[in-house]
Amino acid sequence: MYGVGAMGSIIARMLTERGAEIVGAVGRSTIGKPLSEVTGIPNVTVTIEGDIEEVVQRTRPDLVVMTTASYMEDVKEGVLACLKHGANVISLAEENLYSWHTSPEDTAEIDAVAKEHGVTYTCSGHQDGYWVQLVATLMGTAHHIDEVRGRASWNVEDFGPELARDQQVGDTLEEFAEWLRGAERPPTFGRPTLHAVAAASGLTVVESSTATEPVLATEDTYCKALEMTVPAGKVLGFTDIDTVRTAEGPVLVLEMTGKVYVEGQADSNAWELKGEPDLDLENQVLPTHLTTCATLVNRVPQVLNAEPGYVSVAELPPLRFQPGNIADHLTAR
Ligand SMILES: NC(=O)c1ccc[n+]([C@@H]2O[C@H](COP(=O)([O-])OP(=O)(O)OC[C@H]3O[C@@H](n4cnc5c(N)ncnc54)[C@H](OP(=O)(O)O)[C@@H]3O)[C@@H](O)[C@H]2O)c1
């Protein structure tokens, strides 16, 4: 386990319930603590350490589960250290869901190192199931597609004050516009998602763009994360609108909103397909922290069985429930 925070702790529990043995754990502020104390899982005897390369070299794991960060620039070094010592890696790093367009050189380097050492690197998580697999399946039931448009949202209040400030909560419209003009932002999570949908559907990406729009409070709204009331007319968060055009015609769009919810609002995932025929799908219930972790765990046998390299979820077999022990689903690679 590389990164033992909110997601890592749930994944560690799910993995042990599927017969996996945890042979090592790497953290940052939790170094020296028993993994059982940090995760709440009984019967694991591992102590959290600090040097991923040393731990992988010594414990020789089949797989490293990496839940430390979101972007290529933050995970690349750690991923390479694991691959070089013959460990497969699966992560939740959102950019790596499909990073061939956003970080092509780094992705090619990871691909080459993984192939050289006969192992795989894959990113899975909530996007895999709800934004790629479900959507690609919906597209598979259409004869002709003009546009596929997703709308997803998350509540700023589910996270800490840092993220609330990142979402510009409390800004005036002028302050928001000023921030947007000067902002150097990493790739949105929507962009690699749409690239994965395109890859899963045999579509060739020719252009990707992102527009960002503020969401304004229509009434005075309390923000718990910042312990302040956002007056009507000020910013509650924003929506990133990613658009991907393809050589074959279908346009893929994902509108992702992160904002302070008002009463009655909940996380959502809704997709509309315009074509022959028009289609849609929507999820009313989304316990994202659990779907994220369960999806990753169900991918484990597939990534251990896959041919070596950077293997995106677009290339893996369809996402399926993997009952019982992970070991029962392994084939010789
Ligand atoms: N793909 C998806 O569906 C999905 C879903 C949820 C989350 N995520 C992503 O997964 C990541 C983890 O999410 P989370 O909710 O579990 O966050 P979290 O609770 O903050 O956990 C991250 C853990 O990683 C540790 N860490 C960070 N950098 C490290 C390093 N260099 N070496 C060792 N440990 C390190 C942190 O240690 P300290 O606390 O000691 O700093 C922390 O325990 C985030 O990037 C998040 O955006 C993806």
Side-chain angles (χ1 to χ4, degrees), residues 99-299:
S99 47
W100 285 107
H101 299 288
T102 52
S103 299
E105 281 141 30
D106 293 335
T107 306
E109 186 180 343
I110 287 177
D111 186 46
V113 171
K115 284 179 173 148
E116 187 188 336
H117 294 275
V119 286
T120 55
Y121 175 52
T122 297
C123 167
S124 178
H126 184 77
Q127 298 96 314
D128 179 4
Y130 286 82
W131 299 350
V132 180
Q133 307 300 319
L134 285 182
V135 178
T137 300
L138 187 78
M139 291 168 72
T141 67
H143 174 59
H144 172 85
I145 299 174
D146 293 319
E147 184 187 277
V148 179
R149 182 176 291 264
R151 291 185 183 87
S153 74
W154 53 273
N155 188 358
V156 163
E157 302 285 51
D158 289 342
F159 305 90
E162 201 176 324
L163 204 64
R165 281 188 285 270
D166 283 350
Q167 290 301 111
Q168 310 305 308
V169 174
D171 273 9
T172 61
L173 205 47
E174 294 70 30
E175 286 165 341
F176 183 85
E178 170 94 32
W179 164 77
L180 197 56
R181 268 194 298 277
E184 276 187 34
R185 297 176 59 207
T188 57
F189 294 167
R191 196 177 277 208
T193 299
L194 295 178
H195 292 158
V197 172
S201 309
L203 297 169
T204 316
V205 172
V206 291
E207 191 190 305
S208 307
S209 59
T210 306
T212 302
E213 293 175 358
V215 178
L216 301 179
T218 52
E219 58 192 78
D220 291 0
T221 307
Y222 186 68
C223 172
K224 189 163 46 86
L226 293 179
E227 295 177 357
M228 65 177 272
T229 297
V230 180
K234 287 199 177 181
V235 171
L236 281 185
F238 59 79
T239 304
D240 281 321
I241 305 162
D242 281 291
T243 302
V244 165
R245 297 184 188 279
T246 65
E248 294 79 8
V251 177
L252 311 175
V253 184
L254 179 50
E255 300 179 12
M256 184 155 9
T257 303
K259 63 173 183 178
V260 179
Y261 285 179
V262 294
E263 214 177 304
Q265 290 179 327
D267 289 359
S268 63
N269 181 48
W271 292 79
E272 275 177 7
L273 183 154
K274 298 279 179 225
E276 183 188 350
D278 289 349
L279 298 164
D280 63 18
L281 69 82
E282 183 163 7
N283 301 101
Q284 306 285 352
V285 182
L286 277 183
T288 311
H289 59 301
L290 293 176
T291 57
T292 294
C293 300
T295 303
L296 181 146
V297 170
N298 281 320
R299 283 298 195 190

Side-chain angles (χ1 to χ4, degrees), residues 2-8 26-30 50 67-70 92-94 123-127 189 288 292:
Y2 183 10
V4 195
M7 297 301 113
V26 172
R28 213 163 39 182
S29 61
T30 48
T67 57
T68 57
S70 300
L92 289 178
E94 288 90 340
C123 167
S124 178
H126 184 77
Q127 298 96 314
F189 294 167
T288 311
T292 294

